[in-house]
Structures are given as structure tokens and as C-alpha cells.
């Protein structure tokens, strides 16, 4: 997979890791989906943050998850809201409820379906998309 | 009596409103000065009595500049509510009331200026330093898209129809047609709505609020001082701000709010605080100004504020309940953000005051109480219940 087959056009913002979510993106760049998990109570949390909202422990691991999930909600973006999207689209945006990670959801895109085929309840599987920077973005394919 | 009810809104002021980028002959700051002067004139007070300044996230003009430009001798209180867009609007009124009640200052101006042609547009992508990496690379960029996701879930859970969205857009436009200040006054039909272009499915163009230029301001002072001013004071029966747990990861932050709370506008805790303070129930409301950044926000807010049950917002709107004059709760009687103007919700407070004075262009007969809600897709929410003195 090369960057030229990216789901969205070049020029959109790319992940700008900070000290809270650096571990998440570093694992993504190795094609590993790992979600922050509390070492004290086992609760998964996302997006990454310093403290477990369930028990306030600050100890955590980056726990590997299956990389499958279910479309929890979706929209089809028609209107270009960023210069990189002029003349492009429509494209889908989904919220995926991950398997094996409590109620953690990730925002993403289902890359292999027509816009009107996306629906709530659709089963999806990870699709690692190579970025121009040599890393990987977690998108989704129909399972 | 709550702290808020020891204060009152005594003045309202607006610049002219125009479509986005239509006001280029005068600066945003000048429009703001016009609005504040108009609010003092409306109150019948000496502008030099303004000694407090409140606004909410995204306001550009600092109180020290406003004080300087208007030649005001005293600045005793300066305050900004966190949160982007309109979620802090009623919170700013709350803070004004707190400052007056605490005796920190005498009269507070709450203000908003917004000229999107002179500065950046809110409906376009803006970097969100916290959490933005988890949305923007996937093309999730703007509030219309954030709320489209939560509202799509509402449709899935409750069978809500886009006909309900059309009803909100058409009802509020019909109110705007009576309001000479409204920016969008041309007739709008159900068919016009359904034929308008998709922005972020299911939202079409007429589901999205206007983008406008303008400025507006209100003045809060004590109930005692209010009695000596020009208008019947508008009481602030209740003022509250709240966010449900987990909404730091809400629509503008990766969509990880609690699953049971997903298809809402994060206002259920707010409604409890608000009605608790007011000592009234939703059925006591005579009129409402609901933050209508998008039509779908109105549907979900009706449920969060207990005006109807969960999942019933769509049918409630479709039954004509939001329409002036015969609906159960005429709402956004000046046209709202969808058709009057988009001043991040402060123009909704102003219309609430007009209703309590009996001055609206879609006046609800004998209106005694008005709900005003603030905020669309953001986490932080606030609201007021206004009452006629
Ligand atoms: Zn924990």
C-alpha cells in the first residue's frame, strides 16, 4: 500500500503527537493498534490521557486490541471544509466501537465501501494506510 | 431567591447584522462599540456605569480595549467563560449576575462580536490542539460533521426523521420573516429544505446556522438599580452551566462520551441544575430560545431539557410545537441562529429579553418565562431561565 492510494487527499492535517498520545501513534506507525489501559483497574481509555477516569490511577499499559469493531455512527461529508478537500468527496467519516476495549471508540473512515453503503452496525476491520511520512494511519475496511 | 434573581437584564443592544463578509466598511470592534452603546441607551443608563465585562470563548476584543475605546472610568470585573463557540454564552450572563450579586461591580456588559469576513470562519477547519490528531486526519473537521455523527445515532436509536429537521428550519424561518433584523427572511418550504445540498449527511444546507457579521450586548445590574431604568427588568430566574461526565471526549474531542449520552447535546445535568434553581418545571415555560447551530441540536435539546421525553424530540417538533403562535412551546421567535443571525447565541438571550418585555416580532401572549440554551456541539453547556418582573 502506498501513500498515493490514501483514502483522503494529501494536505489534510496529520497526527501531531503530544506527550499524552505519543505512545498511541508510535504503535500505529508499527501497525499495532494499542489502546491505553489502566494498570490498576483494567479500564480502557481513549483518546490517551494522563489519568484513569474510572479509578484515577496514573499507571497504564498500551494494550493490544483485536483491530475489529462495529460502526457506531457515521456521516458523509459533502462540503469541503479544508483547502485540501476542494473538488474532492463525498467521503465517509465513521465512529467505530472497538472490540475488546470496553466502550472505546475511534474516529476513522471505511475505505472500501460506497458512501451510501456505510451503516450503523456494520462490522469493520483495521486497514493500515501508509502515510507520506512513512508511518501508518488506522482506517477501516468492511469485515 | 437565587443569586441570579437578585439581578436583572436591563439593556440590550445590537449592531446591524449581515451575511458573512458583508460588513467590510466598519470594523468588528466598531460594531461591538455600537452594540454596547446601544445597550446602555436601551437601558436608559449612563454608559459610565458599566464597570464589569463578561464574554465567552472565541471573543476577540478584550475588556481593557472596550473600556479604553468607550472611555469608561472603571473596570472592576473582567471575565471569560471557557469553551469554544456558544456553549459559554449563558455562562457569561451567569458570571455577570454573580459579580453584581457579590458587589464586585455595579453593571456588567455581556458581549459578542463576530465578523467572519474580517477574521476566520467558524464553519471551516480550525486546528484543535487537544484531541485534534484523532479527528482531523480522518476528515472530521467541523461542527456540522461533529453533530451529524451524534444526530445520525439519534435517528438510528429513535427513528427520528429528517422531516423533523425540515420542520425546525421552516418554523424558525417563518419567525424570521416577521423580524426586520433577521438576515435570512426569504420564504423557506419543506421542499426547499429537502432539496438543499448535503453538507454532512443527514444535515443539508438549511440545517446549518447562518454565518453572519455583527455584534450584540446586554447589560446586567441589580434588581434595585433595574427598577429605576427604562424597561420592565428581565429577571434571571436561573443561570447554570454544566457538562455531563466524559464530555471532554465529546463531539469535538473524539466521540468517546458515555454511550448512553451519545445522542444528546450534553444538557441533562445542566437541565437539572437550571430547573432546580428556577423552582419551575419544563411545562411552566412559555417560550424558548434554543441554541440552533444545527436543526438536529434543537431536537436533542428538547429531550435533554425535559420538554419532551427521550426520542420524542422529532415527533414533538413535527407536531408544530415550536411554531409561533400556536405551538406548545414557540421557540426561536426571532429566527434563531438558523435565520436571524449567528452571534454565538447572545442574540438568543436578546430575543428572550424581548419576549419578557413583550417586544418580540413574534410575541407570545402574556409570556412570563423563557428558556435560553447555549451551545451546540461543544462540551461546555450553559442556559438561563428568564422571567418577566
Ligand atoms: Zn483505573
Amino acid at each position: 500500500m502506498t501513500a498515493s492510494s490514501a483514502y483522503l487527499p494529501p494536505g489534510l492535517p496529520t497526527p501531531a503527537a503530544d506527550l499524552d498520545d505519543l505512545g498511541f501513534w508510535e504503535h500505529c506507525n508499527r501497525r499495532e493498534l494499542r489502546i491505553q489501559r489502566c494498570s490498576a483497574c483494567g479500564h480502557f481509555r481513549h483518546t490517551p490521557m494522563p489519568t484513569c477516569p474510572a479509578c484515577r490511577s496514573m499507571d497504564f499499559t498500551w494494550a493490544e486490541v483485536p483491530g475489529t469493531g462495529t460502526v457506531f455512527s457515521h456521516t458523509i461529508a459533502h462540503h469541503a471544509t479544508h483547502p485540501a478537500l476542494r473538488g474532492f468527496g463525498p467521503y465517509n467519516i465513521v465512529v467505530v466501537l472497538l472490540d475488546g476495549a470496553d466502550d472505546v471508540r475511534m474516529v476513522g473512515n471505511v475505505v472500501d465501501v460506497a458512501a451510501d453503503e456505510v451503516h450503523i452496525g456494520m462490522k469493520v476491520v483495521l486497514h493500515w494506510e501508509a502515510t507520506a511520512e512513512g508511518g501508518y494511519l488506522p482506517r477501516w475496511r468492511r469485515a | 431567591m437565587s443569586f441570579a434573581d437578585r439581578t436583572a437584564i436591563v439593556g440590550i443592544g445590537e449592531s446591524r447584522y449581515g451575511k458573512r463578509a458583508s460588513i467590510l466598511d466598519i470594523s468588528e470592534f466598531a460594531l461591538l462599540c455600537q452594540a454596547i452603546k446601544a445597550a446602555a441607551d436601551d437601558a436608559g443608563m449612563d454608559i459610565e456605569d458599566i464597570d464589569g465585562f463578561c464574554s465567552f470563548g472565541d471573543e476577540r476584543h478584550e475588556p481593557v480595549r472596550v473600556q479604553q475605546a468607550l472611555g469608561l472610568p472603571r473596570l472592576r470585573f473582567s471575565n471569560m467563560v471557557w469553551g469554544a463557540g456558544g456553549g459559554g454564552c449563558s455562562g457569561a450572563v451567569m458570571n455577570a449576575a454573580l459579580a453584581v450579586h457579590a458587589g464586585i461591580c455595579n453593571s456588567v456588559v455581556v458581549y459578542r462580536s463576530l465578523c467572519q469576513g474580517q477574521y476566520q470562519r467558524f464553519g471551516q477547519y480550525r486546528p484543535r490542539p487537544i484531541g485534534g490528531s484523532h479527528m482531523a486526519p480522518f476528515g472530521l473537521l467541523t461542527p456540522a460533521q461533529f453533530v451529524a455523527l451524534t444526530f445520525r445515532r439519534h435517528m438510528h436509536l429513535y427513528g427520528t426523521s429528517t422531516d423533523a429537521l425540515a420542520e425546525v428550519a421552516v418554523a424558525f424561518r417563518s419567525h424570521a420573516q416577521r423580524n426586520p433584523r433577521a438576515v435570512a427572511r426569504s420564504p423557506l418550504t419543506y421542499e426547499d429544505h429537502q432539496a438543499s445540498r448535503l453538507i454532512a449527511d443527514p444535515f443539508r444546507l438549511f440545517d446549518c446556522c447562518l454565518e453572519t457579521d455583527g455584534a450584540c450586548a446586554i447589560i446586567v445590574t441589580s434588581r434595585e438599580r433595574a427598577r429605576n431604568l427604562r424597561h420592565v427588568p428581565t429577571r434571571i430566574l436561573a443561570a447554570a452551566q454544566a457538562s455531563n461526565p466524559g464530555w471532554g471526549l465529546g463531539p469535538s474531542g473524539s466521540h468517546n462520551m458515555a454511550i448512553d449520552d451519545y445522542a444528546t447535546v450534553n444538557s441533562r445535568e445542566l437541565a437539572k441544575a437550571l430547573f432546580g434553581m428556577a423552582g419551575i418545571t419544563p411545562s411552566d415555560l412559555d417560550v424558548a430560545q434554543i441554541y440552533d447551530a444545527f436543526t438536529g441540536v434543537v431536537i436533542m435539546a428538547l429531550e435533554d431539557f425535559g420538554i419532551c421525553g427521550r426520542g420524542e424530540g422529532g415527533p414533538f417538533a413535527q407536531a408544530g410545537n415550536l411554531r409561533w403562535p400556536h405551538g406548545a412551546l414557540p421557540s426561536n421567535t426571532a429566527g434563531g441562529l438558523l435565520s436571524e443571525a449567528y452571534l454565538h447565541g447572545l442574540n438568543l438571550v436578546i430575543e428572550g429579553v424581548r419576549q419578557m418585555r413583550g417586544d418580540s416580532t413574534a410575541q407570545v401572549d402574556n409570556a412570563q418565562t423563557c428558556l435560553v440554551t447555549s451551545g451546540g456541539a461543544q462540551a461546555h453547556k450553559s442556559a438561563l431561565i428568564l422571567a418577566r418582573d
Side-chain angles (χ1 to χ4, degrees), chain A residues 38 40-43 52 54-57:
Chain A
C38 176
C41 77
H43 178 79
C52 171
C55 78
R56 287 177 274 278
S57 168

Side-chain angles (χ1 to χ4, degrees), chain A residues 62-85:
Chain A
W62 295 106
E64 191 148 19
V65 295
T68 57
T70 306
V71 172
F72 182 78
S73 198
H74 63 91
T75 183
I76 310 295
H78 290 260
H79 178 65
T81 53
H82 186 282
L85 295 169

Side-chain angles (χ1 to χ4, degrees), chain A residues 8 12-18 21 24-25 46-49 72-82 85 91 93 95 97 103-105 107-109 120 137-139, chain B residues 121 123-125 129-131 133-142 144-145 148-153 156 197-202 249 253-259 262:
Chain A
L8 295 174
L12 274 183
T14 53
D18 59 29
D21 66 4
F24 175 82
W25 294 116
H46 186 73
T47 54
M49 66 193 86
F72 182 78
S73 198
H74 63 91
T75 183
I76 310 295
H78 290 260
H79 178 65
T81 53
H82 186 282
L85 295 169
Y91 62 93
I93 307 165
V95 176
L97 180 64
D103 61 357
V104 164
R105 279 144 283 165
V107 170
N109 316 95
I120 292 175
L137 271 180
R139 299 200 207 266
Chain B
R121 290 175 68 178
Q124 293 278 304
Y125 170 70
I130 307 297
S133 292
H134 300 269
M135 300 189 296
F138 308 99
L140 180 55
L141 302 165
T142 61
Q145 298 164 350
L149 286 166
T150 59
F151 190 74
R152 170 64 67 186
R153 184 85 190 161
H156 172 77
R197 65 189 172 93
L198 282 161
I199 301 296
D201 182 64
L249 298 174
S254 87
H255 287 251
N256 275 279
M257 58 286 212
I259 282 179
Y262 188 82

Side-chain angles (χ1 to χ4, degrees), chain B residues 206-279:
Chain B
F206 291 122
D207 293 310
C208 303
C209 70
L210 301 170
E211 296 184 279
T212 53
D213 289 353
C216 59
I218 68 164
I219 295 172
V220 175
T221 194
S222 67
R223 284 283 285 284
E224 292 75 46
R225 266 184 229 98
R227 290 198 183 96
N228 301 319
L229 297 173
R230 178 173 295 147
H231 294 280
V232 176
T234 297
R235 292 167 56 192
I236 307 169
L237 206 56
Q241 42 183 319
S243 181
N244 290 4
W247 275 71
L249 298 174
S252 53
S254 87
H255 287 251
N256 275 279
M257 58 286 212
I259 282 179
D260 178 55
D261 232 11
Y262 188 82
T264 75
V265 289
N266 184 25
S267 295
R268 290 192 283 168
E269 288 295 325
L270 174 61
K272 271 186 232 168
L274 187 74
F275 287 107
M277 186 184 294

